[in-house]
Amino acid sequence: MFRSRSKSVAISKSSDGKGGTVKAGRGHGSTVRLPVYLREQIMADSKAYNIPYRSKLTERIEPGQTLIIRGKTIDESKRFNINLHKDSPDFSGNDVPLHLSIRFDEGKIVYNAYTKGTWGKEERAKNPIKKGEAFDIRIRAHDSKFQVSINHKEVKNFEHRIPLNSVSHLSIDGDVVLNHVQWGGKYYPVPYESGIAADGLVPGKTLVVYGTPEKKAKKFNINLLKKNGDIALHFNPRFDEKANGFMCAKPTPGSVVRNSLVNGEWGNEEREGKNPFERLTAFDLEIRNEEFAFQIFVNGERFASYAHRVDPHDIAGLQIQGDLELTGIQVVNNQVAQE
C-alpha cells in the first residue's frame, strides 16, 4: 500500500502573458496523487512568453521548492533579469528578496536584494550562459538561502536577506526569449514510495523525475510497480561499473540497467547505451508509457526504449531508492511532456 501527501504552488499569470491559474489536488488513501510540479503553461521552442513577464504566486513558497526557467538568448543580448518580489512584480518600492541579473556586457551574473528602499551589496560570479544559446536556470528555495543552478550545474548559494515567506511575485525582463516557467516540488525522503492517482501510469501518461546524484553516488533506481508488487520497469543507473557489468574506476562511468521483476523472478537485463547521468549534476528523467514500450528521455534527449513485459495499464506505484537528492516528481500527459 502506498501513501503520500503533497502540496504544490500554482502560478497565475498577469495581463502581460497568457494562461490562467493551475491548482493541485490532494489525495488520501491507498492510492493517492503524486507530489507534482505545477506547470502554468509550457510552450514549444517556436513560441514564447511575453517579455516582460509578470506573475503572482497563488500560495507562498516553501523550502524545498524549485523555480525552473528555460529560454534562449539572442546574439545581441546584453542582459536579462530574474526577480522574486514582495507584494508586487515591479520596482515600486517593495522589497525584492532576489535579483538575479545575467549580464553579457560584463560577463557576470549579479546577485542582490532590495530592502527598505535600498539595494544591498552585490555578489558577482562568472556568467556561464553564452549569447544565442538555450539555457536552464533553477532556483531552489531553502530555509536560509536560494540555491542557483545553471544548465544543471550548481553555481551559487545566495543567503536570504529577506524572509523567504515574503516572496509573492516573479518577474523576468531583458534580452531573452522565454519558453518555460514552472514552480513546485518539496523536500522528498529517499527511499521514496507512493501510489499513482486515478488510473495510474497508463499508456498516454509520462512520469517526470527531477533529481541530482550524490557526490559519491554508486547507484540509484526507479521502480514502476504493478498492484501485485511486480516491477514493470526497474531503471537503475550505476556509476561504479561499465555497460558490460565490470567494475570501473573512472570518476563518472557506469551503465544503466533496465529490467522487470515478474512473479518473483528477474528477467534479462538491458544495458545498451552510455550512462547519461553524472554525479552532482541535476537531471530531468521522463518515462513515457506508450502502448508497446516505455520511451525514456534524459534531459530532453531520447535514451532508450523498453518493451513492455507486463500489462502497461496496471502500473499503480512508484519507488525511488539510492544515492540521489530528489527534487521533483510529476505525472503529465505524453503530449505535454513532448512540448
Side-chain angles (χ1 to χ4, degrees):
M1 181 179 293
F2 308 98
R3 306 183 72 89
S4 175
R5 290 189 178 187
S6 66
K7 182 180 181 182
S8 300
V9 172
I11 302 176
S12 62
K13 220 169 184 180
S14 76
S15 58
D16 286 327
K18 302 175 181 178
T21 301
V22 184
K23 295 187 180 293
R26 287 193 177 188
H28 302 274
S30 60
T31 302
V32 297
R33 186 175 303 279
L34 282 172
V36 296
Y37 271 97
L38 286 178
R39 53 180 66 198
E40 163 196 4
Q41 185 177 5
I42 295 180
M43 303 284 191
D45 288 341
S46 60
K47 300 180 181 179
Y49 291 109
N50 290 342
I51 296 293
Y53 173 88
R54 307 275 190 262
S55 70
K56 179 182 179 180
L57 304 181
T58 60
E59 296 181 30
R60 295 294 182 180
I61 299 169
E62 296 181 0
Q65 294 180 333
T66 302
L67 168 66
I68 300 178
I69 298 171
R70 296 193 188 110
K72 185 177 182 180
T73 60
I74 58 177
D75 292 334
E76 296 78 21
S77 292
K78 292 184 177 180
R79 59 179 65 179
F80 69 93
N81 307 300
I82 300 169
N83 302 293
L84 300 181
H85 301 265
K86 176 183 179 182
D87 296 334
S88 63
D90 53 39
F91 293 89
S92 58
N94 293 316
D95 289 349
V96 180
L98 177 63
H99 168 71
L100 194 159
S101 180
I102 296 86
R103 301 182 179 180
F104 299 98
D105 51 351
E106 298 179 7
K108 299 290 184 180
I109 296 182
V110 175
Y111 304 83
N112 208 341
Y114 181 85
T115 179
K116 298 179 180 178
T118 304
W119 284 105
K121 182 179 179 180
E122 291 183 347
E123 299 181 24
R124 289 172 169 257
K126 182 180 179 181
N127 179 12
I129 302 174
K130 299 184 183 300
K131 289 184 179 181
E133 294 188 358
F135 64 81
D136 180 305
I137 297 176
R138 305 193 180 198
I139 302 171
R140 193 175 194 204
H142 297 283
D143 286 313
S144 62
K145 65 186 179 182
F146 292 110
Q147 178 184 354
V148 181
S149 299
I150 297 178
N151 296 334
H152 301 284
K153 296 281 189 179
E154 182 179 331
V155 297
K156 178 70 175 176
N157 287 307
F158 184 81
E159 300 294 327
H160 294 317
R161 303 178 188 178
I162 302 168
L164 175 63
N165 62 12
S166 68
V167 176
S168 61
H169 291 75
L170 165 69
S171 74
I172 303 171
D173 60 67
D175 305 324
V176 65
V177 177
L178 181 64
N179 54 46
H180 182 116
V181 178
Q182 140 184 2
W183 191 300
K186 65 173 189 177
Y187 291 125
Y188 295 84
V190 177
Y192 175 84
E193 189 171 290
S194 176
I196 301 176
D199 298 326
L201 193 74
V202 296
K205 296 286 187 179
T206 295
L207 170 70
V208 187
V209 176
Y210 303 84
T212 303
E214 296 174 355
K215 183 177 181 179
K216 297 182 179 180
K218 294 183 178 180
K219 60 184 177 180
F220 67 89
N221 64 270
I222 297 168
N223 295 328
L224 297 180
L225 307 177
K226 292 181 60 179
K227 294 176 182 177
N228 66 0
D230 284 355
I231 300 176
L233 173 63
H234 172 71
F235 186 83
N236 181 202
R238 302 177 183 179
F239 297 95
D240 55 356
E241 66 180 46
K242 295 181 180 179
N244 59 12
F246 292 103
M247 300 301 292
C248 184
K250 292 183 180 180
T252 310
S255 59
V256 180
V257 175
R258 288 87 70 193
N259 206 343
S260 298
L261 180 70
V262 182
N263 296 325
E265 295 187 2
W266 287 104
N268 293 325
E269 292 183 347
E270 298 181 14
R271 292 172 171 261
E272 294 78 14
K274 295 181 179 180
N275 182 4
F277 300 93
E278 297 181 37
R279 297 181 176 103
L280 292 180
T281 301
F283 65 82
D284 300 348
L285 171 66
E286 296 180 17
I287 302 176
R288 301 177 188 171
N289 190 359
E290 298 181 353
E291 284 293 341
F292 301 102
F294 293 111
Q295 304 299 335
I296 303 171
F297 294 76
V298 179
N299 297 332
E301 300 291 330
R302 180 183 291 274
F303 171 69
S305 179
Y306 184 82
H308 292 310
R309 302 183 187 180
V310 300
D311 183 359
H313 297 82
D314 188 29
I315 298 171
L318 170 68
Q319 291 177 333
I320 301 176
Q321 304 162 328
D323 307 323
L324 83 162
E325 180 183 25
L326 184 60
T327 58
I329 301 170
Q330 181 179 25
V331 175
V332 298
N333 294 327
N334 285 356
Q335 183 177 0
V336 173
Q338 294 169 20
E339 290 182 345

